[in-house]
Amino acid sequence: MNLKAALLALLAYAIFATHDVVVKYLGASMSPFQLVFFSSLLSFPLVTVMLVQDTTFGNLRPIHPWWVALRSATMSVVPASAFYAFAHLPLAQVYALLFVTPLLITLLSIPILQEKVGLPRMLAVLVGFAGVLVVLRPGGVEYGLGHAAALFAALGSAFQSVILRKIGNEERRVVMMVYPLVATFVVMGLAMPFVYVPFDASALGGLGIVAIFGFCATLMMVSAFTMGEAAIVAPMQYSQIIWATLFGVLLFDEQVDLMTLVGAGIIIASGIFIVIREAAGGHSDNTPVLRTRTRGYAPGSFNISLFLKRKRSK
């Protein structure tokens, strides 16, 4: 079953990578705020299907309003940051920077989850950030808002994941899904008068692809995590760097940047080490990285961890 789960996860991440290619195409003529607003709007009926399945007793009043508010505010801006990065940077470089999310989760889990991070995991985090320096090559790369946007998306994704780990066992799943959706619509909607540009049927079709691909790939990830061990499935996300390299060369005429690939390799190795260390048992009370099962920067996808929790509770 682990092999089947791994293959399904690889297919899901191939679809996610294709999703990001469409985002890059659309981002050439459309603001990331407009992109997120309409892709979220188109994905809302799909996500609603998941929302109505939460039959647990209760209302929409959060048990932890401040944590829910912080998570919702973060999730409302992270997709736009990621979409901006995809539009303005080579695909492989964006993924390399987004791959620092597990490292940031490990660090954020210390103050938020009171996680005790031992020397091996801390060294892995430091090595991973060394990989970031290899990607960015201080003095050798002209930095722009795209780099800052990618790193902000990674930080925001890590922050919302750690908050979910902290309060997810107490808050209703519908609360954890509805508030970020509403926050995204409100924040992106407020930006619409300033950034909106008319778009044709082909762009609308692209937005539909972004919504459908994000939703379907997430469903595949649910199945993969249900069938297989998280320690086997989670590292499959790093296969996106292969697709990013291929798509970048074939579709966007991007040059293969050896240092970006080397830096990405260092970051990936650090992330996999942390996953293995958490899965080994006895090294982490919360296993925050291992239990992070969603792309925090894909507005068309619902949270995998919440859905898996519902499945197990039956």
Side-chain angles (χ1 to χ4, degrees):
M1 293 300 286
N2 278 335
L3 177 59
K4 186 181 294 186
L7 292 174
L8 188 59
L10 286 173
L11 176 59
Y13 282 116
I15 295 174
F16 273 133
T18 308
H19 163 289
D20 296 333
V21 166
V22 179
V23 166
K24 188 172 181 66
Y25 270 119
L26 293 174
S29 59
M30 193 181 300
S31 163
F33 296 105
Q34 184 173 341
L35 239 172
V36 173
F37 180 80
F38 283 101
S39 60
S40 298
L41 185 65
L42 292 172
S43 67
F44 187 79
L46 302 173
V47 178
T48 301
V49 174
M50 313 310 300
L51 292 176
V52 298
Q53 295 186 45
D54 184 0
T55 57
T56 55
F57 178 78
N59 52 42
L60 291 177
R61 186 181 302 120
I63 298 172
H64 302 279
W66 289 111
W67 284 118
V68 171
L70 273 174
R71 181 170 178 269
S72 300
T74 301
M75 293 183 69
S76 68
V77 295
V78 163
S81 296
F83 283 11
Y84 183 90
F86 279 119
H88 292 85
L89 295 179
L91 286 170
Q93 197 169 107
V94 177
Y95 279 123
L97 296 176
L98 291 175
F99 285 162
V100 305
T101 299
L103 312 180
L104 293 170
I105 289 174
T106 301
L107 290 180
L108 290 173
S109 68
I110 298 173
I112 297 176
L113 301 178
Q114 313 303 297
E115 174 83 350
K116 294 181 175 62
V117 177
L119 182 60
R121 277 195 293 161
M122 188 56 71
L123 288 175
V125 170
L126 294 176
V127 170
F129 283 124
V132 173
L133 293 178
V134 172
V135 173
L136 295 179
R137 298 189 296 285
V141 172
E142 185 177 345
Y143 301 126
L145 288 177
H147 297 91
L151 290 172
F152 179 80
L155 177 61
S157 182
F159 185 56
Q160 68 88 16
S161 295
V162 174
I163 293 176
L164 174 62
R165 185 74 188 93
K166 181 177 181 65
I167 66 176
N169 289 331
E170 299 177 28
E171 294 285 359
R172 290 183 69 204
R173 285 166 284 286
V174 66
V175 168
M176 299 295 286
M177 294 172 74
V178 164
Y179 281 89
L181 275 176
V182 173
T184 299
F185 281 127
V186 170
V187 173
M188 297 298 108
L190 289 174
M192 280 302 97
F194 306 99
V195 302
Y196 177 80
V197 293
F199 52 89
D200 55 21
S202 62
L204 180 61
L207 290 167
I209 290 174
V210 169
I212 293 171
F213 276 28
F215 183 82
C216 292
T218 307
L219 281 181
M220 291 181 185
M221 292 304 303
V222 169
S223 298
F225 276 109
T226 301
M227 288 190 298
E229 299 174 37
I232 300 296
V233 176
M236 296 304 108
Q237 66 174 304
Y238 297 121
S239 64
Q240 291 173 109
I241 196 69
I242 300 173
W243 293 110
T245 303
L246 291 174
F247 287 149
V249 171
L250 298 177
L251 301 178
F252 300 102
D253 198 28
E254 296 173 354
Q255 299 299 314
V256 179
D257 187 337
L258 179 60
M259 295 306 292
T260 294
L261 295 181
V262 170
I266 295 172
I267 297 167
I268 289 169
S270 301
I272 291 176
F273 176 85
I274 290 173
V275 167
I276 293 173
R277 189 74 178 173
E278 289 186 0
H283 304 294
S284 173
D285 295 329
N286 300 289
T287 59
V289 174
L290 201 60
R291 300 194 185 195
T292 300
R293 300 163 181 173
T294 186
R295 292 208 332 170
Y297 52 91
S301 61
F302 54 90
N303 195 285
I304 300 170
S305 299
L306 293 174
F307 185 69
L308 288 175
K309 179 183 172 185
R310 183 187 67 81
K311 294 282 286 185
R312 291 195 191 98
S313 65
K314 286 188 174 181

